[in-house]
Amino acid sequence: MRPITPIDEFEEACLKANLNNIEQKIIDHIRYVGVFTQPSLTKDLKLNTKPPILSILCDICRKIGKHMPEHFKNVRKWSKEINEYDVKWDGELICSLAWNKDGERLSPENGTCLYHTFAVHKELFQGLQ
C-alpha cells in the first residue's frame, strides 16, 4: 500500500526545501491539474525540454524528501516494490504513473497512450480548492 503523505509535513518540507520559482511553479501546477504527461507539463509551463521535466521533478522530490526523510524512505521503498523492474522513482513522492480501468499503466510500453501519464497523489491534489 502506498504511504500516504502527511499534508502538514509535506507543506513544511516544501518551505524548508527552498524551491526556486520554476520548481515551485512545477509543484503548484502538478497539484492543481492532477494528471499530466511530460510534454503537457513542459508545454503548460513553457519550459525547455532539456533537462527533461521529469528529471527536474525528481530533483524537487529529493529536496522535499530531505525534510521528511522517514516518509521519503518509505515512498522510495514502495516505489521499488511496485516497479516491474525493481527501480525506485523519486517522483513517487508527489505522483505516480496512472492506470486505466483495466489495471494497465498508462504508458507507451503498454500500448495505452502516447506518453507516460502521471497522477498526483490524492492527498496532494489542490485543484478543487
Side-chain angles (χ1 to χ4, degrees):
M1 181 177 223
R2 178 179 68 81
I4 304 302
T5 305
I7 299 301
D8 292 341
E9 186 180 351
F10 179 82
E11 298 294 351
E12 186 176 325
C14 284
L15 291 174
K16 289 179 179 177
N18 290 321
L19 302 177
N20 66 38
N21 288 341
I22 291 173
E23 293 168 334
Q24 190 62 55
K25 193 174 179 181
I26 291 168
I27 293 301
D28 291 345
H29 186 76
I30 287 171
R31 292 183 71 188
Y32 179 76
V33 298
V35 177
F36 64 94
T37 64
Q38 182 164 289
S40 71
L41 195 53
T42 302
K43 180 182 174 198
D44 290 349
L45 298 177
K46 297 174 178 65
L47 298 172
N48 293 327
T49 57
K50 301 291 181 187
I53 200 158
L54 294 180
S55 294
I56 296 169
L57 180 59
C58 286
D59 290 341
I60 295 167
C61 289
R62 284 189 285 272
K63 285 180 178 183
I64 296 168
K66 188 167 36 170
H67 300 285
M68 47 189 323
E70 191 61 31
H71 178 69
F72 192 45
K73 182 183 95 180
N74 292 335
V75 166
R76 294 174 93 214
K77 180 181 177 211
W78 167 78
S79 178
K80 185 175 180 183
E81 289 171 0
I82 65 164
N83 185 281
E84 61 189 305
Y85 303 108
D86 248 4
V87 175
K88 63 183 174 286
W89 184 59
D90 291 341
E92 300 269 19
L93 179 63
I94 295 172
C95 60
S96 295
L97 278 171
W99 300 69
N100 69 14
K101 188 92 170 156
D102 296 323
E104 300 168 306
R105 287 183 184 253
L106 294 174
S107 69
E109 297 86 2
N110 288 338
T112 51
C113 59
L114 289 176
Y115 304 104
H116 291 97
T117 302
F118 298 89
V120 72
H121 299 314
K122 183 177 181 177
E123 66 273 15
L124 297 177
F125 178 63
Q126 295 183 319
L128 298 175
Q129 293 183 353

